[in-house]
Amino acid sequence: MHNQYTDFLLRLPDVKTKQVLEINESTLHIEVTPIAVRQACPCCQLTEHVIRKGQNRVRRIRHLGVGGQRIYLLVPAIRLFCKSCDCGFVWNYSFVDPGKRYTKAFEQQALQTARVATVKQSAELHFLPNSTLHHKHEQWLAIESKRLQKQGWKEAASMSKLVLGIDDFAIRKGQTYNTGIHNLRGETLLDIFPGRRLDELRIYAKQSPAFLALRPVAVVMDLAPYYHTWIRECFPEAIRVADRFHVQRYVVEAVQSIRKSITPTLAPQAKAHLKAKHRLLNPRVESLSVEKQEELRDILGYSALLKQAHAWKESFSRWYDCSPNVHTAKQWLHHWLVQGKQIQHPAIMLCLKTIKNWKTEILNYHRCRGTNAAVEGRNNRIKAFQRRHYFTRNRERYVQGLLVECNYAHYG
C-alpha cells in the first residue's frame, strides 16, 4: 500500500506514514513521523531557538481500525530543547494527549459505543481492558452530562413560551419512583429527582432555584393531584394541562370494562373471538387498516351496548382533534358527557366523574395544545437504559447516564 493512501485512511494532519512494519490477520503496525521540522516552545511560543535533543523511545498508540484490523501507530517521542528559555520538552501531537496510549478519535469512538450499549460490551468490541474504558467513561459522563444539562436549563430559561412536562417513571414498580422535568418545546430532559410525593416535590423546589426561576406558560402532566398542587404552588400563573394520553386512557378502560361485562353473555365462539380481538377497541378507527376495520365491525356486532360505548369513545377523540377553540370545546364536551350518561353503565359513570372533576385541566388542552407524548417515549428510553445497565446503584452516575441518554441526540 502506498504511503499517501495510508495517510488518507489515517486522517492525521500533523504526521505522515513512514512505513508499514507489520501486517497480520488482526493487527496493523504503522510507523509515522512528524510533517513539521520544528515545534514551538510551550513557554515562549517560538521555534527559532528550538533544537532536537535526542529521542527517548517510540510510542505505541492505538488508533481507529480499518477493514476490521486493529491499527497501532509507532510515533517517535522526540526530545526538544529551547535555548532561549533553557527548558526541555517532548514533541506534542494533536491527535493524542501526552502520555496516553490511545488517540483521541479512538477514545471518542469507544465512548460513543459505551453510550448506546454498556462499558463491558464496548470494551469487548474494541479489545480494551474493561477497567480502562470504565474509568474513561465515568470521566466523560460527568463532563458531558453537566454540559448537556447546563445547555438545557439555559435554553429553557430563555424561552418566551416555555411548556414544561412533568411525569414519573418507576425504578421498581409500585415501590420506587423518579420524577422527570421536561422541556416540551425544546424536546429535552431538564432534571431528574427521586420520589413523586408532594413533600418530595416541595423539597426539590426548595433546593432548585433554577427550576423556580423558570416562567412556563403551561405545564402538562397526568391527573395526579400532588403534581397539580405542586405546580400551582410553584407557577401560579401557568396553565395546568391534563395530558391527553392519560385522559383518553380512562375512556378506553371504560370501554374495555363494558367488553368484559358482556363477554359472559355471549356464545362460546363469539366470546373467544371478542377476547382475541379486544385490542381493536383501543385505537381510532381511522388508524386501522381496512381488514382491521372489518374485524372491528364484527366484534361490535356482538353487543349494542359495546357498539354504543365505542362510538362514545370515538367522539371523544374527535373532540380533542376538531375543537377549534376553548368555547366550542366546552360546549362539545357537555354534549359528550350527556351522551355518556345515557349509556347508563357503572364503568362509564365512573369515567364521567373523573372527567368532570378535571374538566378545567382537560379543557386547557385547547388553550395550549401540549402533550406528554415525547415524555412517554423518553420514559421508554429510560426504562431501556435501566435494563441495559442493570439499575445502576450509584445515584450520581445513574442521573448522569440518563441526562446523556435523553439529551445527547439534541445537543450532541
Side-chain angles (χ1 to χ4, degrees):
M1 182 184 292
H2 296 291
N3 289 343
Q4 62 266 30
Y5 300 134
T6 307
D7 293 338
F8 177 77
L9 291 175
L10 294 179
R11 296 184 181 276
L12 300 175
D14 48 353
V15 295
K16 60 182 178 180
T17 303
K18 189 175 180 181
Q19 59 179 332
V20 178
L21 296 178
E22 180 183 347
I23 300 178
N24 57 35
E25 293 181 355
S26 60
T27 309
L28 182 64
H29 290 252
I30 302 175
E31 184 178 358
V32 298
T33 184
I35 297 175
V37 179
R38 294 180 180 180
Q39 192 170 80
C41 172
C43 298
C44 63
Q45 302 298 323
L46 299 175
T47 60
E48 289 81 1
H49 306 289
V50 175
I51 61 173
R52 294 197 179 194
K53 204 171 184 180
Q55 181 171 318
N56 290 341
R57 56 183 174 80
V58 174
R59 297 174 62 184
R60 186 170 178 264
I61 302 171
R62 178 78 180 275
H63 189 45
L64 296 173
V66 175
Q69 290 184 314
R70 300 195 294 273
I71 291 182
Y72 292 90
L73 305 176
L74 303 181
V75 182
I78 303 172
R79 296 174 60 189
L80 303 173
F81 184 80
C82 180
K83 295 186 290 184
S84 175
C85 302
D86 196 24
C87 69
F89 58 99
V90 180
W91 194 287
N92 182 39
Y93 298 95
S94 62
F95 59 87
V96 61
D97 292 326
K100 300 299 182 180
R101 295 185 295 171
Y102 308 101
T103 63
K104 296 177 182 178
F106 178 76
E107 285 189 2
Q108 190 66 21
Q109 185 187 65
L111 291 171
Q112 289 299 321
T113 307
R115 182 180 67 84
V116 297
T118 64
V119 172
K120 183 179 179 181
Q121 291 170 339
S122 180
E124 292 175 353
L125 179 65
H126 296 285
F127 300 96
L128 287 172
N130 191 15
S131 58
T132 300
L133 185 57
H134 183 74
H135 178 67
K136 291 182 179 296
H137 183 259
E138 283 189 345
Q139 292 179 333
W140 176 82
L141 202 61
I143 297 172
E144 194 68 11
S145 62
K146 188 176 181 180
R147 179 186 72 86
L148 295 173
Q149 189 175 29
K150 183 178 179 181
Q151 198 165 349
W153 280 107
K154 183 179 179 181
E155 182 183 13
S158 62
M159 278 190 173
S160 59
K161 294 184 178 180
L162 174 65
V163 179
L164 295 178
I166 309 293
D167 199 13
D168 58 73
F169 57 92
I171 298 178
R172 189 179 296 275
K173 198 77 172 179
Q175 299 182 25
T176 311
Y177 288 85
N178 283 334
T179 296
I181 302 175
H182 306 258
N183 179 358
L184 298 183
R185 292 282 170 85
E187 298 182 353
T188 54
L189 172 64
L190 297 178
D191 205 357
I192 297 170
F193 60 93
R196 61 175 183 174
R197 299 195 306 270
L198 185 58
D199 56 340
E200 295 169 324
L201 300 175
R202 286 170 173 165
I203 290 173
Y204 172 79
K206 290 181 180 179
Q207 297 175 349
S208 305
F211 173 71
L212 294 177
L214 297 176
R215 292 293 178 266
V217 297
V219 182
V220 183
M221 57 203 126
D222 57 24
L223 302 184
Y226 41 82
Y227 280 141
H228 288 264
T229 302
W230 181 52
I231 293 301
R232 191 187 303 113
E233 295 173 355
C234 296
F235 310 113
E237 297 181 359
I239 300 172
R240 290 178 288 108
V241 182
D243 182 41
R244 174 175 176 174
F245 169 79
H246 290 87
V247 174
Q248 287 189 292
R249 188 176 64 180
Y250 285 99
V251 180
V252 171
E253 289 176 353
V255 175
Q256 290 292 348
S257 296
I258 292 178
R259 188 262 310 173
K260 293 176 183 177
S261 67
I262 67 168
T263 299
T265 64
L266 301 178
Q269 186 176 359
K271 184 188 301 184
H273 185 216
L274 180 58
K275 184 178 181 180
K277 302 295 182 180
H278 74 277
R279 288 187 177 87
L280 294 176
L281 297 170
N282 297 344
R284 296 190 60 179
V285 176
E286 293 83 357
S287 65
L288 298 175
S289 63
V290 177
E291 182 182 356
K292 296 296 183 181
Q293 290 182 19
E294 288 290 337
E295 294 177 354
L296 176 62
R297 279 192 285 270
D298 291 341
I299 63 174
L300 291 178
Y302 293 141
S303 169
L305 177 62
L306 182 61
K307 186 175 182 179
Q308 185 182 8
H310 185 266
W312 172 74
K313 183 210 66 140
E314 288 293 300
S315 63
F316 192 59
S317 297
R318 287 192 295 272
W319 173 81
Y320 261 115
D321 292 334
C322 302
S323 297
N325 52 58
V326 179
H327 179 70
T328 305
K330 189 174 182 179
Q331 294 179 340
W332 288 5
L333 183 61
H334 174 73
H335 293 309
W336 179 81
L337 293 172
V338 173
Q339 179 186 356
K341 194 174 181 180
Q342 292 173 352
I343 298 177
Q344 291 296 323
H345 191 276
I348 298 291
M349 302 307 294
L350 184 61
C351 175
L352 293 178
K353 181 180 178 181
T354 303
I355 300 297
K356 290 177 182 178
N357 290 339
W358 296 95
K359 185 176 180 180
T360 302
E361 289 76 12
I362 294 172
L363 283 170
N364 281 341
Y365 171 82
H366 299 285
R367 301 180 187 271
C368 174
R369 288 180 174 266
T371 70
N372 275 349
V375 175
E376 295 296 335
R378 206 168 288 131
N379 286 347
N380 288 335
R381 295 191 65 178
I382 290 173
K383 293 174 185 176
F385 175 90
Q386 292 179 160
R387 289 191 293 268
R388 193 165 69 238
H389 291 269
Y390 308 106
F391 295 86
T392 306
R393 289 183 173 86
N394 188 318
R395 175 75 191 183
E396 185 180 3
R397 294 282 178 266
Y398 170 76
V399 173
Q400 289 173 354
L402 290 182
L403 289 172
V404 172
E405 176 77 12
C406 296
N407 295 334
Y408 193 83
H410 187 75
Y411 293 123

